[in-house]
Amino acid sequence: MIRATIFGASGYVGGELMRLIAQHPAIEVGVAFGASNAGQMVASVHPHLALAYPQMEFSAWNATKLRGCDLILAALPHGETQRLADELLAPDIPLVDLGADFRLDSAAEFERWYGEPHARPELLGSFTYGLPEFFREEIRGSKLVAAPGCYPTAANLALKPLVDAGVIEKQGIIVDAASGVSGAGRSANAGTHFCSVDGSYRAYGLIKHRHTAEMEMVSGAEVLFTPHLMAASRGILANCYARATSPSDPLAILREAYAGELFVHVGETPPETKWATGSNSAFLSARFDERTGTVVTLAAIDNLGKGAAGQMIQCANLMLGLEETAGLSNMGVYP
């Protein structure tokens, strides 16, 4: 078995990684680092994993525990992968990083969107952007992958084929996307408290949300992005609007672009977040509105699945020469 070390294992994404790996035919969890819960049993933090990991404890960070490790999966807070870069890269172990630390192409873009200098700019070119539907072959040949999170994944799946086909303008694209509360992480705060979220729907990160940079980098277009928080535990729905260059059938373009993709479904019915719950799937649809000359394209994913842990496993499978679908489901849990 391939031994995986998980960083951030006590968080929501870490728990989802452990759930997926528990049913993976070729990967097992060797070490689960969880700084704030070091010494606690996995089942005490993730009760749903009690049968899968009855004796495992979360570990405090110690570089010696990387010995015998075959894969590193990092689901750490912003900035932590930069700080630990030397220790994580020294053993030359395949690494999939979910943090935003190494997703962007340049230190200047990082500083523009994150408001701080990049601590390890010389490493930016070493990482492959981990969206398999667009960069599959690059991921196969890489030992360092920066997996995108939920918002960029959903928006780029919906937009990039249409930009590449030239049927939408590259300027003035609008992305309105809503996320489940788990996207904010496990730590409690006033904005994600039940009484704040229940029965409400709000926008945040207006104009300058940092994930805009990845949407523009991958799609090759100018994007105005507004994220929203919805009263649900999981899910992302991205509604994208663009000016059409000419009358077209965007649904047909998406169908052709994703033909053969086992985790992407393109259909006539506008997608719902619940369809993707617990899966690594993305559900897409699109329309051309002749009256306004606008293309509407939509994508729904599970923010903890295709938007995080599932995508990390998909990338790891490619990097390790395994079946890309190993340990992953393309079927959601419904209702």
Side-chain angles (χ1 to χ4, degrees):
M1 295 289 282
I2 294 164
R3 286 174 53 85
T5 294
I6 299 176
F7 285 79
S10 59
Y12 286 142
V13 175
E16 189 71 352
L17 281 169
M18 296 186 76
R19 183 182 75 86
L20 294 173
I21 291 174
Q23 55 194 359
H24 197 291
I27 302 176
E28 64 182 5
V29 178
V31 181
F33 289 121
S36 60
N37 293 281
Q40 295 187 50
M41 301 297 293
V42 167
S44 69
V45 177
H46 300 308
H48 63 299
L49 301 179
L51 292 173
Y53 301 94
Q55 303 300 324
M56 182 170 283
E57 293 183 358
F58 292 111
S59 298
W61 164 237
N62 185 330
T64 63
K65 292 193 174 185
L66 291 179
R67 295 172 187 164
C69 168
D70 307 302
L71 171 67
I72 297 173
L73 300 170
L76 292 167
H78 170 69
E80 286 298 292
T81 310
Q82 294 175 60
R83 185 178 67 82
L84 295 171
D86 288 334
E87 292 166 296
L88 294 182
L89 273 56
D92 196 32
I93 299 168
L95 164 67
V96 182
D97 180 28
L98 185 67
D101 295 30
F102 294 100
R103 293 179 192 161
L104 298 183
D105 288 337
S106 73
E109 277 294 283
F110 182 90
E111 185 168 359
R112 174 190 175 192
W113 290 98
Y114 286 84
E116 62 189 35
H118 199 287
R120 303 300 302 273
E122 76 279 8
L123 296 176
L124 286 172
S126 303
F127 282 76
T128 298
Y129 195 77
L131 189 47
E133 286 71 21
F134 303 135
F135 305 105
R136 181 170 281 111
E137 294 310 312
E138 293 90 336
I139 294 167
R140 284 190 204 277
S142 179
K143 273 200 166 182
L144 301 174
V145 169
C150 47
Y151 281 130
T153 295
N156 283 319
L157 287 173
L159 286 169
K160 183 172 171 57
L162 303 180
V163 174
D164 290 348
V167 299
I168 58 176
E169 298 284 354
K170 290 185 177 182
Q171 288 78 39
I173 294 174
I174 294 174
V175 176
D176 278 337
S179 172
V181 184
S182 60
R186 188 163 194 148
S187 299
N189 63 68
T192 58
H193 191 283
F194 176 82
C195 292
S196 299
V197 175
D198 184 48
S200 188
Y201 182 78
R202 66 178 175 88
Y204 63 96
L206 300 181
I207 307 300
K208 296 181 179 180
H209 193 280
R210 54 187 59 178
H211 289 167
T212 305
E214 291 171 63
M215 296 177 191
E216 294 192 339
M217 180 182 74
V218 174
S219 71
E222 175 194 82
V223 172
L224 176 60
F225 169 49
T226 304
H228 300 76
L229 188 67
M230 62 181 175
S233 296
R234 303 167 75 129
I236 288 279
L237 179 65
N239 302 310
C240 311
Y241 308 90
R243 299 294 298 178
T245 57
S246 61
S248 66
D249 185 351
L251 194 62
I253 293 169
L254 291 180
R255 282 180 168 143
E256 181 178 359
Y258 295 114
E261 290 289 348
L262 297 178
F263 293 118
V264 181
H265 177 267
V266 181
E268 185 79 21
T269 305
E272 301 178 24
T273 57
K274 202 168 184 67
W275 296 353
T277 300
S279 79
N280 194 52
S281 295
F283 293 88
L284 278 63
S285 192
R287 300 287 190 279
F288 167 64
D289 178 37
E290 186 175 0
R291 182 181 66 85
T292 62
T294 303
V295 169
V296 182
T297 177
L298 310 93
I301 62 173
D302 183 337
N303 62 293
L304 294 180
K306 182 61 174 166
Q311 185 131 273
M312 294 174 76
I313 298 296
Q314 188 179 357
C315 289
N317 287 339
L318 289 167
M319 297 164 73
L320 296 169
L322 304 174
E323 285 293 328
E324 186 174 344
T325 58
L328 299 170
S329 174
N330 61 4
M331 297 176 287
V333 178
Y334 192 94

